[in-house]
Amino acid sequence: EWIAQQPELYWEYCKQLADLLIATFAPITHLRIVGQARGGILVAFTVAKILQEKLPGALIACGYTDTEKPLNFQPKAGELCLIVDDVSTTGKSFAEVEAALKQYGAVVIGAAAFLRWQTGIDHASHLKKAFLWELPQQVYLPEQCPHCHPTSPS
């Protein structure tokens, strides 16, 4: 939603994320940027476009996943992939996309997002990651959630 409201910020953040990917995952000579459908498709497409401009001669492709169809492309065995999303809370989306890519023999070199909520949960802890921002976020078990079970005053 904020993307439509502030496109100039979105474009700037995508450029910053592309620069961070170049610094974190260098050298990049060929790479498929894979977005996650619940928020990462637009980010992945934009970052891939920026990387194509910043790395002339590098082969940068883009693909995506969604809940209906795991991948909109079939990666080649050994193809290098980087998962991009807008926000990471628990790393579960990264892990799901990685599992889909690995079924084809693709090699996931890492994952990236604008924001990582530091929840203490990381389902993709083995992946190298890059984030523009990391902020603390409290996570509760459903039965302990203060929003779901507010304590009433005595």
Side-chain angles (χ1 to χ4, degrees):
E1 183 177 306
W2 67 271
I3 292 171
Q5 295 170 355
Q6 299 180 331
E8 64 286 340
L9 275 180
Y10 167 75
W11 188 252
E12 180 57 34
Y13 295 156
C14 285
K15 288 194 285 186
Q16 289 177 24
L17 189 57
D19 288 340
L20 182 60
L21 296 182
I22 291 169
T24 304
F25 298 100
I28 297 174
T29 56
H30 63 284
L31 183 65
R32 183 179 297 267
I33 304 294
V34 182
Q36 210 287 332
R38 291 175 288 220
I41 293 174
L42 186 57
V43 178
F45 176 79
T46 307
V47 168
K49 182 171 177 48
I50 293 167
L51 286 174
Q52 288 171 338
E53 294 169 4
K54 289 181 174 276
L55 302 170
L59 176 60
I60 308 294
C62 189
Y64 70 89
T65 68
D66 68 29
T67 54
E68 299 298 318
K69 181 180 176 188
L71 297 171
N72 76 326
F73 64 97
Q74 184 171 341
K76 297 177 179 86
E79 183 175 4
L80 299 180
C81 296
L82 179 73
I83 304 164
V84 174
D85 209 343
D86 56 346
V87 175
S88 176
T89 304
T90 64
K92 187 173 180 184
S93 294
F94 290 154
E96 289 172 354
V97 175
E98 178 188 28
L101 291 166
K102 283 188 166 186
Q103 288 180 349
Y104 294 97
V107 177
V108 177
I109 65 165
F114 293 137
L115 172 65
R116 175 181 179 239
W117 288 114
Q118 297 170 327
T119 61
I121 302 168
D122 189 353
H123 294 285
S125 60
H126 60 285
L127 289 177
K128 186 174 185 176
K129 297 186 197 74
F131 303 104
L132 290 182
W133 311 287
E134 295 189 57
L135 299 170
Q137 176 69 34
Q138 182 66 48
V139 177
Y140 300 94
L141 295 172
E143 62 274 8
Q144 296 172 336
C145 176
H147 301 287
C148 301
H149 304 287
T151 56
S152 56
S154 306

